[in-house]
Structure formats: C-alpha cells, structure tokens
Amino acid sequence: MSNMKDALGRTIDYMRISITDRCNLRCKYCMPYGVECVPRWDILSLEEIQAVGICAAGLGIRHIKVTGGEPLVRRDCCQLVKQLKSIPGIEKVTITTNGVLLERYLDDLAEAGIDGINISLDTLDRDLYQRITGTDALGTVMEAVRRACAMPVSVKINAVSIDFSQMDKEQREAGQGGWRQMVELAREYPVDVRFIEMMPIGYGKNFKTINHQELLEEMMRAYPDMEEDDRVHGFGPAVYYRIPGFKGSIGLISAIHGKFCSDCNRVRLTSQGYLKPCLCYEDGVDLRRILRKGQERPEEEGHYRWPYAGCPSDEGLQRELRKAMEQAVLCKPAAHCFERPGQITEAHNMIAIGG
C-alpha cells in the first residue's frame, strides 16, 4: 500500500474535498449576503471527484472529509459518500455540515457508510445564532445533533473561536462565556466539542480570534479536573481534553497559537478542482484542467456532463492526475504564515476554498 510523503518527509494521508460553494446559511465570517457563487459548470461532477479519489487512494490518501460550502445542499452528496467509501484504500469518509439539512439525510448517510459527522455550531444562544448565520435554525440543528448521537458514528461539534462581542454592543453579553455552554454539550451528549481558532482567510480577516492559550486557562479554572485525553479521535490536529463525568471530550484546534504545521498530513481539493497543499497560500495544481482536457465551456449554464463518467479509473487519465497530485504534495510549504497576514497569498474566501 502506497505511502505519500512531501519534501519534508511528512506523511500525507488526509484529503478534504469541497463538493460545492453553495450554502444555505450566510455566516458573517464565511459567506455573508452578497457573495456570488460560481457557475455550476465550474463545479466538479460526482464522477470527476470519484476519479480524483481513486488517484488519491493510489498515492496514499486514507481519510477523506467531504465539505462545502454546505455539502448537503448538493443532492448527490450521499451518493458521492458511497462511491468514495467503495474506493480501495480509502479507510474513512466523514462529512462536515452546518446541520440544517442533516436530519433529512441522516439515514441516507448511514446507508452510504459515513464514518463520522462534524456539525458546525458556534453558539447555543438563539438570537446570536441568527445574527451570525442569518437564519433561525438553531432548534433544527440541535435536533439533528440529538439524532446523530443516537447513531453508531462519531459525532463532533465544531465551534469557531470568535469574540462575537465585536459584532455589536447587543451581542456583547451573549458572546461572553459562550464557550461554557458549548463545553456542556459534551456532558449531555457523547460528542467531541472542538474549538477552532479563526484563520485570517477571506471574511475571517474581519474577526478577532480567541487565543486558545487563554481559553484553555479559562477552561482549567472552570473545570479544574480537566486533563489531556491522548485517545485517537480522528486524523486532524486537535488536542483533546476530558472532564470527569462528561460523555464526550473537548478539543482545541489552534492554528494561530498552537501551530501544528510540522505534523500536517492534509491537502485540500476545492469544488472547482484546484488541489491546495496549504490553506494559507494560493499555490496548487488545477486538476479540472486535466479532467476536462479538450472540453469547451458550453454556451448555456448547467451541470457538466463528464465524458469519462463511465470510466473514472482510465489509465491515461489517472497517470496525468497522479503526476499533478504528486507535484502539489512535493511543493507543500513547511508552514503557514497566518501570524504574518501580509505574507498570506490566498485571496479567495473560505466558501470558495472549502471548509
């Protein structure tokens, strides 16, 4: 079985695949009102994503995270999960969702073989949730959390660590100490609650992240028996802690104040087929150019019909994809530069890159 390494010797075995730049929420730090989506022709088809997955598995990718946008707004999402799960070499396929449509698709995801569900949820304050997302859907998301927890899959909640008090004076009180409400979810449900430092990409540059070193100190004061949890919870960079009496654990993903680039194991595929070895920089390779070699953009807008749909494992195609993907991995930077915003070269919003 192949084992892919970059120029620094890091094993690259995890790929995040964005399948759409559409979303049914309008979070202020990600996709506020007014952000335009790309034409549908620009989005990779299900079969094209499958072809990239086949190539990735052959190179050494073992774990895939399906993301968006909001992946569940794409009607063939569950079908894609099933196809990715069937690729030899792929061990785990998980999904990140905002949870609004999750309850509707839980059974289909389970049937497709999903291995884990990450639910993006920043607050349990209904008014603040609506102010952040533009939608009054907190109750819908919480019902999805409850149902997902009853399934035999790993469930995680991702909360972006933003000082929401900066939004306006009205939110100052709701934004203070909101982390404790989120932590308490792990007491009530068997979920890992993870806090993610806001990275200065796209609209995220307009929001101040909470320093996780300070947040951890606050947590330790509130839960003095909290201790490190060295059990394996996934394939990413989160550092976990456990609190006696809690059903789940607490995780911190600290890209700014706990830089983990030396152990980075991932690459990202955007919904438009651009393979990025690092979120911070614009560098990467355009796999869509290979997938659609010789194809011209149609005059009318619509979904793309891929000529290779019936044979995504075509040897010639796979050879070209492999060469391009290996090139991208070999050029993976040693580290991001989020602590030096002036050196960041990635200019796209997160919705275009993939969460």
Side-chain angles (χ1 to χ4, degrees):
M1 192 172 285
S2 298
N3 187 12
M4 180 163 54
K5 293 185 179 294
D6 67 5
L8 299 176
R10 294 172 294 192
T11 298
I12 309 301
D13 59 5
Y14 176 31
M15 183 164 66
R16 299 177 69 90
I17 299 179
S18 172
I19 66 171
T20 181
D21 68 338
R22 271 75 173 165
C23 189
N24 49 354
L25 298 182
R26 288 296 178 267
C27 297
K28 294 181 181 295
Y29 57 80
C30 182
M31 189 184 184
Y33 288 104
V35 174
E36 293 187 4
C37 297
V38 301
R40 293 186 185 279
W41 187 90
D42 292 341
I43 304 296
L44 292 189
S45 67
L46 181 151
E47 294 84 6
E48 288 173 305
I49 297 172
Q50 182 185 12
V52 174
I54 291 170
C55 183
L59 286 169
I61 294 295
R62 297 290 166 257
H63 316 295
I64 290 177
K65 175 78 71 183
V66 175
T67 73
E70 167 50 45
L72 291 177
V73 302
R74 183 161 171 169
R75 285 176 291 183
D76 58 9
C77 178
C78 297
Q79 183 182 352
L80 174 63
V81 169
K82 186 174 183 177
Q83 289 185 349
L84 293 174
K85 282 283 293 182
S86 69
I87 296 174
I90 298 300
E91 298 173 3
K92 300 284 186 180
V93 177
T94 58
I95 189 170
T96 291
T97 169
N98 60 36
V100 175
L101 297 174
L102 179 58
E103 188 175 12
R104 182 189 307 177
Y105 289 108
L106 270 174
D107 291 338
D108 291 338
L109 285 169
E111 184 178 346
I114 198 72
D115 295 295
I117 300 171
N118 289 16
I119 301 169
S120 300
L121 178 63
D122 300 327
T123 179
L124 294 181
D125 181 279
R126 180 179 175 183
D127 182 59
L128 179 57
Y129 178 92
Q130 186 166 2
R131 292 296 306 278
I132 295 169
T133 67
T135 306
D136 182 13
L138 179 59
T140 300
V141 175
M142 286 309 301
E143 184 56 35
V145 170
R146 285 187 280 270
R147 273 209 59 201
C149 287
M151 298 174 61
V153 297
S154 165
V155 179
K156 299 174 182 176
I157 292 177
N158 293 341
V160 177
S161 296
I162 290 178
D163 179 6
F164 290 114
S165 66
Q166 67 189 297
M167 287 172 58
D168 56 40
K169 188 175 181 180
E170 182 181 345
Q171 299 305 323
R172 196 157 294 157
E173 184 174 345
Q176 291 176 344
W179 62 264
R180 187 174 296 198
Q181 287 182 303
M182 299 301 298
V183 165
E184 287 293 321
L185 285 174
R187 185 197 298 272
E188 185 175 358
Y189 302 103
V191 299
D192 290 338
V193 178
R194 292 118 57 85
F195 296 89
I196 304 173
E197 286 190 333
M198 170 58 72
M199 293 172 284
I201 295 290
Y203 290 95
K205 291 182 289 189
N206 301 325
F207 292 84
K208 179 184 177 183
T209 190
I210 292 174
N211 185 325
H212 275 186
Q213 294 175 353
E214 298 174 0
L215 177 60
L216 180 58
E217 291 175 1
E218 286 190 58
M219 289 182 178
M220 290 292 192
R221 286 194 292 269
Y223 303 96
D225 295 329
M226 187 168 77
E227 59 184 14
E228 281 200 42
D229 181 356
D230 57 5
R231 294 173 297 175
V232 175
H233 290 251
F235 322 108
V239 177
Y240 286 93
Y241 299 84
R242 59 197 308 179
I243 302 172
F246 277 48
K247 297 177 181 178
S249 296
I250 309 302
L252 296 178
I253 301 176
S254 312
I256 312 299
H257 299 96
K259 203 166 178 177
F260 41 76
C261 297
S262 62
D263 297 317
C264 187
N265 65 337
R266 69 184 58 186
V267 290
R268 294 171 182 261
L269 182 71
T270 74
S271 60
Q272 298 181 62
Y274 194 74
L275 186 68
K276 290 178 59 62
C278 180
L279 177 62
C280 183
Y281 305 103
E282 65 181 356
D283 307 274
V285 294
D286 184 1
L287 299 185
R288 190 181 67 187
R289 178 184 59 80
I290 297 171
L291 291 162
R292 301 187 183 179
K293 188 175 182 180
Q295 302 297 309
E296 294 184 2
R297 179 185 291 271
E299 294 183 4
E300 295 185 3
E301 160 71 347
H303 292 284
Y304 177 66
R305 303 290 183 181
W306 190 46
Y308 282 97
C311 49
S313 58
D314 176 84
E315 288 186 13
L317 173 66
Q318 287 295 322
R319 192 180 308 115
E320 289 191 59
L321 287 173
R322 184 183 185 95
K323 182 179 178 180
M325 294 181 73
E326 287 177 330
Q327 174 191 341
V329 168
L330 283 175
C331 294
K332 184 175 175 66
H336 68 64
C337 62
F338 289 143
E339 68 276 19
R340 301 183 300 278
Q343 297 181 23
I344 299 172
T345 60
E346 178 53 77
H348 290 91
N349 294 319
M350 280 300 295
I351 197 72
I353 301 168

